[in-house]
Amino acid sequence: FAEFMRRLAWGVVVTLAATPAFAAESIFVWPDDGDPNTFIGWDSPAVWAGGVPGSGDRAVIESGGEILAVTGGPNSSGGPDPLVIEDVVIGRSVGPQASLRIGGVGTLSGLNTSVDLMVTDDLIVGDAGTGFVRQSGSTVTIGDQLVIAAQAGSLGEYELNDGVLNMAGGDIRVGQGTGGFDFNNGTLRNPRTIDLNGQDFVQEGGVFLRDGGGTGTTTIAGSYGLTLGAEVVHQDRRIIVDESLLMNGGTYDLTASSATLVVRETLWVQGLGSNAAFDLQDGLVDANRSAAFFNGLLVGTNSGVADADVDQGVGTMRVLNGELRLLAAAGGSATYDFTGGT
């Protein structure tokens, strides 16, 4: 699906939608010239019908527009002011793809495009139509929900390549359409729920940060996969994985007594072409599934060139209704280093 979305036309439509109490609605109306390298400044009045959207407004970008670069003018310190919008809808109606790029495009007419975006309510990527967001820098903060492919028949994709996506305790979910969340790099911070409508959540790189912000629990529907350079920094609160945590690579650092990881099925740490490491420095890990199925902690490697390691110095590792197994293929290693804790 990700490759399919990248091949879609770069006609841009971005809509910033608000709750029924929004102050005003602004519609992005700049025509598409067919050049994917052309960027239109967000703060240009000429591209908005209804004026440049601001705090409390609804910004609507419909299909057939240019790629929209989030810019904003310089503030008193010489840097760009953050854009504060109530709701954002990208691809509200059926038609060509609507796209929003955030960060990573250098300068535009002398303005710095490394501006932060604050959506106080929802960001919808593909409502009834087709929406695409590529974040290559800056910080995007969403107060409530990131909804991808909201309605039946819609297409949506959010691509996180760099910068920070701060969910502030909100949800990431795929609706009734066909959607995807590509976590390639950057930082994802404190989502409340990740529900991709039957798809597993796969982190290809970057940092999943769970600290003291947002709500008390992050719930991941389905399984959670880590590969290559992916890292989880679990500093506080609770992460619940409804199915299995599959570490084909990457690192999971659980670092504080106030942090808890609950895996409903199997916690699997394996080197599959890339080293995998689970570091339990403090806190609690529960690997738990009903007695009718196998569950537990498996440390192993299916590759002859990678290692899988669990290091426990403090904290508690509990394997419920299952077993702990170490598996190693020729040329690889599987280790559980226990120096303290329970």
Side-chain angles (χ1 to χ4, degrees):
F1 174 72
E3 182 63 25
F4 167 73
M5 290 292 292
R6 291 188 183 97
R7 293 178 180 177
L8 288 176
W10 277 100
V12 174
V13 177
V14 177
T15 301
L16 303 185
T19 64
F22 64 88
E25 177 174 278
S26 296
I27 302 176
F28 182 73
V29 295
W30 198 261
D32 182 8
D33 67 358
D35 183 356
N37 297 310
T38 301
F39 300 98
I40 303 300
W42 179 282
D43 59 350
S44 174
V47 304
W48 295 102
V52 177
S55 177
D57 290 343
R58 166 178 291 173
V60 176
I61 301 177
E62 289 294 10
S63 58
E66 287 283 0
I67 296 172
L68 180 64
V70 175
T71 57
N75 58 29
S76 58
S77 300
D81 285 319
L83 291 171
V84 181
I85 310 293
E86 185 161 342
D87 289 328
V88 177
V89 180
I90 304 172
R92 183 168 66 175
S93 303
V94 175
Q97 176 177 295
S99 301
L100 171 63
R101 285 194 181 190
I102 304 167
V105 294
T107 60
L108 177 67
S109 300
L111 297 176
N112 186 353
T113 60
S114 298
V115 64
D116 296 336
L117 174 64
M118 300 179 65
V119 182
T120 56
D121 198 359
D122 297 337
L123 171 58
I124 300 175
V125 185
D127 187 7
T130 300
F132 176 66
V133 174
R134 174 174 291 158
Q135 183 179 350
S136 302
S138 304
T139 295
V140 177
T141 299
I142 300 175
D144 194 0
Q145 296 191 82
L146 168 58
V147 181
I148 304 168
Q151 300 184 43
S154 64
L155 297 172
E157 182 179 10
Y158 194 107
E159 187 178 281
L160 178 58
N161 296 323
D162 205 348
V164 178
L165 176 57
N166 179 21
M167 291 306 302
D171 302 323
I172 299 174
R173 66 179 182 88
V174 171
Q176 299 176 11
T178 302
F181 180 76
D182 296 337
F183 189 0
N184 300 318
N185 213 328
T187 299
L188 173 61
R189 181 171 181 261
N190 294 336
R192 176 175 55 194
T193 301
I194 301 175
D195 186 348
L196 304 183
N197 194 16
Q199 304 173 64
D200 292 334
F201 173 48
V202 179
Q203 180 180 346
E204 301 283 352
V207 177
F208 186 116
L209 174 61
R210 190 63 180 95
D211 56 25
T215 58
T217 299
T218 292
T219 301
I220 299 174
S223 291
Y224 178 18
L226 277 74
T227 66
L228 303 176
E231 181 179 7
V232 179
V233 179
H234 191 170
Q235 299 175 341
D236 202 351
R237 308 297 180 94
R238 179 187 298 264
I239 294 178
I240 298 175
V241 181
D242 277 346
E243 295 182 9
S244 294
L245 174 57
L246 309 170
M247 295 184 62
N248 293 326
T251 303
Y252 195 117
D253 295 319
L254 199 148
T255 62
S257 60
S258 57
T260 299
L261 170 65
V262 177
V263 181
R264 301 293 191 196
E265 297 187 5
T266 300
L267 168 56
W268 186 303
V269 185
Q270 66 176 350
L272 191 61
S274 177
N275 292 342
F278 191 100
D279 189 6
L280 178 59
Q281 300 177 33
D282 208 336
L284 171 66
V285 177
D286 273 347
N288 184 18
R289 187 174 181 174
S290 68
F293 302 92
F294 171 81
N295 84 293
L297 171 67
L298 289 86
V299 181
T301 174
N302 291 336
S303 168
V305 296
D307 301 323
D309 301 290
V310 173
D311 296 315
Q312 182 176 354
V314 194
T316 300
M317 176 75 76
R318 299 195 302 196
V319 181
L320 310 175
N321 304 317
E323 59 187 1
L324 187 154
R325 295 196 296 176
L326 300 181
L327 310 169
S333 68
T335 61
Y336 193 118
D337 295 325
F338 180 82
T339 58
T342 303

